[in-house]
């Protein structure tokens, strides 16, 4: 009996409260070769066994819940709204890590109207998100938030690629580069890096958000913040000088074009610097089902970006 | 300078590292857990039946370092138990630091908590292995001694689930296969009923949990045989075993305990409530696997296609050892193939023909039989050991079995191979 070993991928939900998911039931789990119908076990190992989870669950799929949440609403600018959500206490714990996000929708609209929003900050006051209003879903959500409760679904975890690199950095230098609404992902990333005893520096530019709304929170945490008007003109040259000090990791938050530029700077600066990025895929269901965030790895495998953490050289195909 | 990377720190990997170092290479041994020896941490049986011959052959070939190191920690020598003669039992509790010191003293770099997850290849050559943490280890040649046990999913599908054995996959991550990551072909043992793999053949009791009289007897004699009540005799359980040399009726009709530091119970698993019905075992509990009342680890699930020099088919510079090289089960088998793989990897790196052991030696014969199985489409249909089942019979029929050191040394000398593993190949 000959075997073929397929390169394993990491799933952010593997072994969590939300494993097994629909992908296990459909034989499409991209982590577990046995759930994909192969004969032998070969996974990237998340610290737990997805096959075991599936067997013990007896085929019952673990899904996320929807809860009704009270909202406090504050306009930060013409298109920018800050929402403070009164979430269940259990969610507050789970949403405190980099990459955490939720789907939010108005009470009276169907799940298709739900907007994926990154957790900006978690505090005793609740969970903060910043909404950039630029399309029908965000506009309807902003209107509803001003007048009534919202429905939140979550928690989801894969808003950041390169989570392992952020966790690995200990007692080193770390750099954040964020433009526009990319700033929303920086605070939880900074918290993680600071927990690891790293010295964190951030370069922020307002971009289309019009304001460096993350600057205050980052400074309060002890991050050295440099605010620039434009990342391209001022920010990246500054980051270039920071890279000379060989930080362990750089977190790029913004459009894919920014990730590409940062990746090129890192490549020039030499080996040993890891890259983590914000996710810019379109998320609709968050469960790996709808196909809106599907990408293909360098090996040609079809994987949903709402769940997959890519291994090192697979981090780039969607940046090309 | 020749740089060798050995992946997997079980008996096979340790032996490969020693042989490669003796041949003059700089050697790094990587191991995913925090201890060397893998299944060797719970085994302990050496020198029984044809393993005596194979061990003396390995020594005559120049691989005596490991066997010499074990001399100090044998708990029992020249022990007979059903179907097995002149066994030596090493102390599984003492063995790891002894072997670790041996390797370190020889200048082998030991990297524990280092799991290989990727390889870097150029054509048919592996250039480097990449560790889980991202570190790249480059080498001229590689030995894959990653074994065939687990991971968890395989134990779930083909066994009774993860039973928390000494491999400790949930804690350190599952084994990976260097050969498979590099694109080499693999196969599994196929049982007659069409299912895959084989269950590890013994479990271990905490000695302190035995009744004092029973424990004394085990300490003094090295073995205890306790007849089972008729309702607990399950001969069908013998078929599960990876170690067919212990699949004899005596092992189904009795509880056979061997003193390896633990009380080694010669059955793949035993329900605790049944076990505790036996006099002296009323308070018994398991040391390995922790859930040996339920099952044991599953093995022989990822063997590589290779030639008689133990070079992996289709890869220029990867050699395999231990169970990775084929279904040859046991410490002695792992050490014997490990020595050859380590030696041959260095030969390849310095541009010399790899060594093929002749069939006038038991080690050469067992390797050649597995090669024939691969060539003739019987991959994974049978397993082998020097110590019993069909291969020990073959050894006797071909007059390969001997316990005479002089005779074995003469055979090795006649093959022109005396001390060959001790010669440096690197200038």
């Amino acid at each position: 009996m000959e075997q073929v070993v397929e390169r394993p991928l990491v799933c952010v939900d593997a072994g969590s409260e939300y494993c097994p998911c629909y992908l296990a039931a459909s034989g499409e789990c991209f982590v577990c070769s046995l759930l994909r119908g192969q004969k032998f076990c070969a996974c990237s190992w998340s610290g737990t066994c997805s096959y075991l989870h599936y067997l013990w669950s007896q085929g019952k799929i673990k899904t996320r819940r929807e809860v009704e949440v009270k909202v406090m609403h504050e306009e930060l600018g013409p298109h920018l709204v800050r929402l403070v959500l009164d979430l269940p206490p259990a969610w507050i714990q789970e949403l405190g890590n980099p990459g955490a996000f939720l789907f939010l929708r108005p009470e009276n609209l169907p799940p298709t109207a739900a907007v994926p929003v990154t957790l900006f900050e978690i505090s005793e006051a609740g969970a903060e998100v910043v909404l950039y209003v630029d399309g029908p879903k965000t506009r309807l959500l902003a209107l509803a938030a001003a007048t009534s409760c919202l429905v939140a679904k979550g928690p989801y975890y894969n808003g950041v690629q390169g989570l392992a690199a952020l966790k690995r950095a200990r007692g080193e230098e770390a750099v954040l580069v964020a433009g526009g609404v990319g700033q929303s992902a920086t605070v939880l990333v900074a918290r993680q890096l600071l927990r690891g005893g790293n010295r964190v520096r951030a370069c922020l530019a307002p971009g289309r958000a019009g304001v460096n709304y993350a600057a205050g929170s980052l400074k309060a945490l002890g991050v050295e913040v440099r605010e620039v008007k434009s990342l391209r003109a001022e920010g990246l040259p500054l980051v270039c000088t920071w890279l000379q000090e060989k930080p362990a990791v750089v977190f790029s938050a913004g459009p894919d074009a920014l990730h590409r530029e940062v990746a090129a700077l890192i490549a020039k600066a030499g080996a040993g610097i890891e890259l983590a990025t914000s996710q810019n895929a379109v998320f609709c269901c968050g469960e790996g089902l709808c196909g809106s965030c599907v990408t293909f790895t360098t090996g040609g495998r079809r994987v949903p970006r709402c769940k997959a953490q890519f291994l090192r050289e697979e981090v780039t195909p969607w940046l090309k | 300078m020749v740089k060798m990377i050995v992946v997997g720190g079980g008996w096979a990997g340790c032996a490969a590292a020693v042989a490669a170092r003796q041949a003059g290479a700089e050697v790094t041994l990587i191991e995913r857990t925090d201890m060397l020896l893998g299944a060797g941490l719970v085994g302990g049986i050496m020198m029984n039946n044809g393993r005596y011959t194979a061990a003396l052959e390995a020594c005559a070939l120049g691989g005596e370092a490991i066997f010499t190191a074990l001399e100090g920690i044998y708990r029992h020598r020249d022990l007979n138990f059903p179907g097995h003669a002149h066994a030596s039992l090493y102390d599984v509790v003492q063995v790891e630091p002894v072997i670790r010191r041996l390797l370190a003293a020889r200048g082998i770099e030991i990297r524990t908590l280092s799991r290989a997850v990727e390889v870097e290849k150029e054509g048919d050559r592996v250039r480097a292995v990449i560790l889980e943490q991202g570190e790249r280890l480059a080498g001229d040649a590689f030995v894959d001694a990653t074994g065939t046990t687990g991971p968890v999913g395989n134990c779930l599908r083909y066994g009774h689930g993860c039973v928390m054995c000494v491999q400790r996959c949930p804690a350190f991550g599952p084994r990976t296969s260097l050969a498979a990551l590099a694109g080499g072909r693999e196969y599994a043992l196929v049982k007659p009923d069409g299912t895959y793999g084989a269950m590890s053949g013994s479990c271990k009791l905490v000695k302190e949990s035995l009744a004092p009289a029973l424990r004394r007897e085990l300490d003094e004699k090295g073995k205890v045989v306790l007849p089972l009540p008729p309702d607990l005799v399950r001969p069908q359980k013998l078929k599960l075993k990876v170690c067919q040399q212990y699949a004899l009726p005596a092992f189904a009709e009795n509880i056979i305990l061997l003193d390896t530091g633990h009380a080694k119970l010669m059955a793949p698993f035993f329900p605790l409530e049944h076990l505790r019905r036996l006099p002296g075992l009323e308070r018994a509990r398991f040391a390995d696997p922790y859930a040996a009342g339920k099952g044991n680890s599953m093995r022989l699930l990822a063997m590589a296609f290779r030639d008689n020099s133990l070079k992996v088919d289709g890869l220029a510079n990867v050699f395999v050892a231990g169970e990775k090289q084929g279904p040859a089960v046991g410490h002695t088998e792992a050490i014997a193939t490990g020595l050859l793989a380590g030696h041959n990897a260095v030969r390849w790196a310095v541009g010399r023909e790899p060594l093929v052991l002749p069939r006038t030696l038991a080690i050469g014969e067992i390797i050649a039989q597995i090669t024939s199985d691969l060539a003739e489409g019987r991959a994974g249909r049978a397993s082998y050991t020097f110590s019993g089942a069909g291969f020990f019979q073959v050894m006797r029929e071909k007059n390969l079995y001997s316990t005479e050191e002089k005779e074995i040394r003469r055979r090795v000398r006649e093959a022109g191979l005396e001390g060959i593993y001790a010669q440096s190949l690197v200038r």
Side-chain angles (χ1 to χ4, degrees):
Chain A
M1 170 47 221
E2 276 189 50
Q3 307 171 36
V4 180
V5 174
E6 208 173 85
R7 187 186 170 73
L9 289 164
V10 176
C11 175
V12 80
D13 288 335
S16 77
E17 206 181 318
Y18 307 105
C19 174
C21 71
Y22 295 108
L23 299 183
S26 63
E28 300 251 341
C29 173
F30 58 81
V31 169
C32 175
S33 55
L34 293 171
L35 288 173
R36 279 200 306 281
Q38 293 176 11
K39 284 205 165 70
F40 297 102
C41 170
C43 77
S44 51
W45 193 243
S46 58
T48 178
C49 174
S50 300
Y51 188 60
L52 179 65
H53 273 254
Y54 188 68
L55 293 186
W56 282 110
S57 77
Q58 301 186 318
K60 188 172 180 292
I61 299 307
K62 312 252 186 81
T63 52
R64 267 120 174 146
R65 297 187 293 143
E66 279 196 328
V67 293
E68 205 170 90
V69 290
K70 287 186 193 149
V71 190
M72 211 184 74
H73 167 272
E74 179 194 2
E75 286 195 8
L76 296 178
H79 291 275
L80 213 58
V81 182
R82 173 175 169 265
L83 305 177
V84 182
L85 310 168
D86 184 17
L87 291 172
W91 286 32
I92 299 285
Q93 273 184 355
E94 293 187 51
L95 289 168
N97 293 312
F101 70 96
L102 292 169
F103 282 97
L104 291 176
R105 67 172 169 90
E107 269 183 304
N108 57 348
L109 290 183
T112 44
V115 180
V117 282
T118 290
L119 266 290
F120 174 64
E121 174 66 302
I122 289 271
S123 67
E124 282 171 13
E128 281 180 55
V129 300
V130 177
L131 194 65
Y132 184 74
V133 182
D134 70 342
K137 286 203 294 188
T138 45
R139 204 169 300 281
L140 287 167
L141 187 67
L143 284 172
T147 56
S148 66
C149 285
L150 298 178
V151 174
K153 191 176 184 193
Y156 294 87
Y157 307 121
N158 215 33
V160 164
Q161 277 294 347
L163 291 170
L166 297 173
K167 282 188 189 156
R168 265 195 297 272
R170 301 225 161 235
E172 310 219 43
E173 297 281 327
V175 169
L176 313 180
V177 194
V181 289
Q183 293 176 78
S184 289
T186 54
V187 175
L188 294 186
V189 167
R191 277 190 187 279
Q192 168 76 46
L193 290 167
L194 291 166
R195 275 197 296 273
N198 300 286
R199 175 190 175 211
V200 185
R201 283 186 285 190
C203 176
L204 306 181
R208 61 177 180 161
V211 54
N212 287 330
Y213 59 88
S217 302
L218 289 173
K219 282 178 191 163
L221 288 175
V223 175
E224 188 185 319
V225 177
R226 290 283 293 273
E227 298 184 61
V228 296
K229 282 189 185 134
S230 153
L231 280 182
R232 193 174 293 267
E234 299 171 60
L236 292 178
L238 173 67
V239 168
C240 222
T241 63
W242 287 353
L243 291 183
Q244 300 312 310
E245 293 172 38
K246 299 279 179 212
V249 62
V250 178
F251 177 61
S252 166
D256 283 354
L258 175 66
H259 301 340
R260 272 194 293 272
E261 300 222 28
V262 174
L265 291 182
I266 286 176
K268 236 188 265 175
I273 306 173
E274 298 200 81
L275 174 64
T277 67
S278 61
Q279 283 261 39
N280 297 313
V282 176
F283 290 159
C284 286
C285 74
E287 308 289 351
L289 274 181
C290 71
S292 65
C293 64
V294 155
T295 189
F296 293 86
T297 65
T298 42
R301 287 178 63 191
R302 182 182 179 278
V303 282
R305 280 159 66 182
C306 61
K307 282 179 174 282
Q309 282 284 308
F310 296 94
L311 298 175
R312 281 164 199 85
E313 71 266 28
E314 279 165 337
V315 114
T316 48
W318 51 278
L319 292 177
K320 280 175 191 160
Chain B
M1 188 198 86
V2 169
K3 178 72 194 179
M4 277 275 310
I5 308 287
V6 179
V7 184
W11 271 126
C14 289
V18 166
R21 188 76 188 124
Q22 290 184 168
E26 277 195 19
V27 183
T28 298
L29 173 66
I30 63 171
E31 159 60 36
R32 71 186 166 88
T33 75
D34 54 1
M35 282 195 281
L36 296 178
L37 293 187
L41 292 166
V42 291
I45 306 180
M46 308 287 289
M47 312 301 272
N48 50 333
N49 295 349
R51 283 182 182 151
Y52 203 107
T53 313
L56 290 179
E57 283 179 7
C59 290
L61 286 161
E64 70 284 351
I66 284 175
F67 297 96
T68 309
L70 285 176
E71 288 293 326
I73 51 163
Y74 282 124
R75 293 184 65 85
H76 302 278
R77 306 296 298 262
D78 212 10
L79 181 78
N80 297 324
F81 60 93
H84 294 260
H86 48 70
S88 292
L89 307 180
Y90 69 71
D91 191 324
V92 296
V93 183
Q94 308 271 346
V95 68
E96 201 266 355
V98 171
I99 299 302
R100 196 187 277 245
R101 275 200 299 274
L102 168 73
L103 267 57
R106 288 176 169 244
I108 293 161
E109 186 195 14
I110 301 165
R111 303 272 303 260
T112 51
L113 301 174
S114 299
R115 198 165 74 98
V117 294
E118 296 172 45
V119 298
E120 199 178 290
K121 243 177 102 179
E122 196 178 302
D124 62 355
R125 291 185 193 185
V126 170
R127 291 295 186 199
V129 293
I130 315 292
L131 303 185
E132 196 167 30
Q133 300 84 349
E135 193 181 347
R136 175 183 182 274
L137 298 178
D140 298 306
F142 297 80
V143 172
D144 180 344
T146 54
T148 66
T149 310
V152 178
N154 285 335
C155 294
L156 275 162
R157 173 158 285 186
Y158 301 115
H160 302 173
C162 173
V163 287
M164 292 167 277
C165 73
V166 74
Q167 307 280 343
R168 299 169 291 162
C169 305
F172 297 107
R175 72 169 164 76
T176 51
S177 162
L178 169 64
L181 288 170
R185 292 156 67 211
E186 289 192 342
Y187 64 99
L189 187 84
V190 191
K191 290 205 281 278
D193 65 359
T195 59
Y196 298 108
M199 197 174 265
S200 293
S202 72
C203 44
K204 294 91 211 159
L205 297 170
V206 178
K207 256 202 210 173
E208 289 78 0
S209 73
L210 309 183
L214 186 64
R215 188 179 165 189
R216 260 195 311 279
E217 188 185 348
L218 189 61
D219 279 338
E220 281 162 18
K221 296 182 180 163
K223 72 172 173 203
V224 170
V225 180
L226 301 171
L228 282 169
D231 65 313
L232 293 184
V233 176
R234 308 272 160 80
Q236 67 275 18
K237 222 159 112 178
L238 296 175
K239 289 186 195 151
L240 295 172
K241 285 190 174 198
V242 66
C243 319
Q244 284 297 304
Q245 70 273 26
Y246 307 124
L248 307 168
F251 289 79
E253 290 155 9
N254 302 286
I255 285 283
I256 298 177
L257 298 177
L258 300 179
D259 174 24
T260 60
H262 294 315
K264 188 177 176 78
L265 196 168
M266 300 301 285
F269 62 96
F270 214 98
L272 194 62
E273 59 184 288
H274 293 168
L275 192 66
R276 288 182 170 178
R277 279 169 52 190
L278 290 153
L281 298 180
E282 294 87 352
R283 288 186 296 277
R285 60 170 285 183
F286 289 106
D288 175 83
Y290 272 124
K294 183 184 166 191
N296 211 320
S297 52
M298 294 305 292
R299 291 159 64 177
L300 300 182
L301 287 162
M303 296 167 286
F305 281 82
R306 87 303 183 266
D307 63 17
N308 276 334
S309 74
L310 303 183
K311 188 189 79 63
V312 176
D313 292 359
L315 297 172
N317 61 343
V318 180
F319 292 77
V320 279
E323 286 182 3
K324 193 86 217 166
Q325 68 76 38
V329 184
H331 304 332
T332 309
E333 291 76 355
I335 294 166
T337 53
L339 290 168
L340 181 63
H343 179 76
N344 273 343
V346 180
R347 287 182 89 93
W348 183 87
V350 298
R352 288 170 70 161
E353 273 294 302
L355 182 66
V356 173
L357 297 179
R359 298 182 81 151
T360 52
L361 301 180
I363 302 171
E365 178 63 23
I366 206 168
I367 291 170
Q369 288 223 358
I370 294 169
T371 311
S372 304
D373 284 353
L374 298 181
E376 290 158 24
R378 293 195 306 272
R381 297 284 161 187
S383 65
Y384 298 88
T385 164
F386 299 120
S387 70
F391 188 77
F392 184 42
Q393 189 57 34
V394 170
M395 279 179 72
R396 280 186 291 207
E397 283 164 12
K398 297 195 170 185
N399 289 322
L400 292 171
Y401 170 55
S402 168
T403 55
E404 295 299 322
E405 189 179 353
K406 272 188 187 162
E407 165 59 15
I408 293 164
R409 199 160 273 281
R410 185 191 62 76
R411 292 177 195 172
V412 174
R413 193 179 308 123
E414 275 182 10
L417 299 173
E418 195 176 13
I420 190 155
Y421 294 156
Q423 295 166 10
S424 179
L425 304 168
V426 182
R427 283 185 189 171

